[in-house]
């Protein structure tokens, strides 16, 4: 294995920064978490894994090799991206006054629907595409890479976003439960009320 732990650590850090930058995956994950909780969100996170396997492999194996085997590959990929983004843009414009959860394919119930949404979002995510195709080769010497290296890189590419997405889904699910629980809301209101009274008393005596 030619890839070092230091290189993998740097790459993991870059992936973490990529995850922390809001994008289409965040929008889809938040939408499903708000509409159906963690149960609705985790299949989407698994769907995203497919893209996190595909894009590093494409970057490592090289777009040049793919284009030599399939002459029109890049042209087809470019026009597919154009269609996807035009449709997504038009959908957002035509539903600009609707809430995130209304009439949205992202929040369609069911595990399979969530998984498909995850695959669609990651394959059409320009942030992920640019990162893997443009940045990944800068972390590793792709010309000297071995099969164990590829396995390690793909594993890291899966693990960091997956745990991040699942963590985000759990956080949103807990917040959603908190805000929809009468007991929790009562405690929040009581605590806030006590603090407000306290602030008022402090103002009165100072």
């Amino acid at each position: 294995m030619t890839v070092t732990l230091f290189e993998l650590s740097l790459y993991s850090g870059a992936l973490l920064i990529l995850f922390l930058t809001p994008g289409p995956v965040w929008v889809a994950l938040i939408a499903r978490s708000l509409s159906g909780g963690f149960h609705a969100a985790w299949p989407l996170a698994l769907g995203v894994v497919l893209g996190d396997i595909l894009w590093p492999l494409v970057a490592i194996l090289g777009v040049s090799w793919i284009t030599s085997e399939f002459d029109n590959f890049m042209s087809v990929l470019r026009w597919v991206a154009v269609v996807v983004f035009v449709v997504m843009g038009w959908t957002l414009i035509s539903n600009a006054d609707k809430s995130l959860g209304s009439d949205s394919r992202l929040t369609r119930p069911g595990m399979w629907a969530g998984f498909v949404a995850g695959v669609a979002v990651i394959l059409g995510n320009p942030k992920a595409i640019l990162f893997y195709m443009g940045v990944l080769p800068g972390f590793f010497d792709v010309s000297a890479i071995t099969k164990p290296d590829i396995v390690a890189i793909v594993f890291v590419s899966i693990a960091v976003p997956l745990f991040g997405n699942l963590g985000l889904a759990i956080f949103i699910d807990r917040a959603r439960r908190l805000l929809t629980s009468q007991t929790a809301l009562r405690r929040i209101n009581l605590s806030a009320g006590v603090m407000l009274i306290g602030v008022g008393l402090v103002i009165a005596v100072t």
Side-chain angles (χ1 to χ4, degrees):
M1 191 164 134
T2 62
V3 171
T4 66
L5 288 176
F6 179 70
E7 288 174 328
L8 286 173
S9 298
L10 285 178
Y11 179 60
S12 298
L15 282 170
L16 181 59
I17 294 171
L18 179 73
F19 164 74
L20 292 174
T21 306
V25 174
W26 268 45
V27 173
L29 197 67
I30 291 170
R32 291 194 68 84
S33 297
L34 288 174
S35 65
F38 181 75
H39 179 74
W42 71 261
L44 184 140
L46 289 186
V48 170
V49 166
L50 284 186
D52 290 329
I53 294 172
L54 174 65
W55 291 124
L57 285 176
V58 170
I60 292 168
L61 297 177
V63 176
S64 59
W65 180 85
I66 297 176
T67 53
S68 69
E69 294 294 321
F70 306 99
D71 294 335
N72 298 319
F73 176 80
M74 290 306 295
S75 296
V76 171
L77 188 62
R78 180 165 60 93
W79 285 109
V80 167
V82 167
V83 171
V84 167
F85 288 118
V86 168
V87 170
M88 287 176 63
W90 175 252
T91 302
L92 286 173
I93 292 170
S94 60
N95 295 288
D97 59 340
K98 295 184 179 180
S99 63
L100 191 62
S102 63
D103 192 26
S104 174
R105 294 182 182 182
L106 296 179
T107 57
R108 184 178 295 168
M111 292 175 57
W112 178 247
F115 181 81
V116 171
V119 173
V121 167
I122 190 63
L123 292 183
N125 184 357
K127 184 179 67 172
I129 296 167
L130 289 172
F131 177 83
Y132 288 120
M133 302 299 290
V135 179
L136 185 149
F139 285 92
F140 311 104
D141 182 3
V142 180
S143 63
I145 217 160
T146 63
K147 289 182 179 179
D149 295 331
I150 294 174
V151 171
I153 293 169
V154 171
F155 175 78
V156 172
S157 300
I158 293 171
V160 173
L162 177 61
F163 286 117
N165 288 330
L166 291 176
L168 178 62
I170 291 172
F171 173 79
I172 294 171
D173 178 61
R174 295 296 180 270
R176 174 178 171 270
R177 291 185 184 185
L178 183 66
L179 294 175
T180 55
S181 167
Q182 290 299 322
T183 302
L185 280 175
R186 183 174 183 276
R187 289 174 182 171
I188 291 172
N189 288 332
L190 288 173
S191 300
V194 169
M195 286 188 285
L196 287 172
I197 292 170
V199 172
L201 292 175
V202 169
I203 293 173
V205 299
T206 56

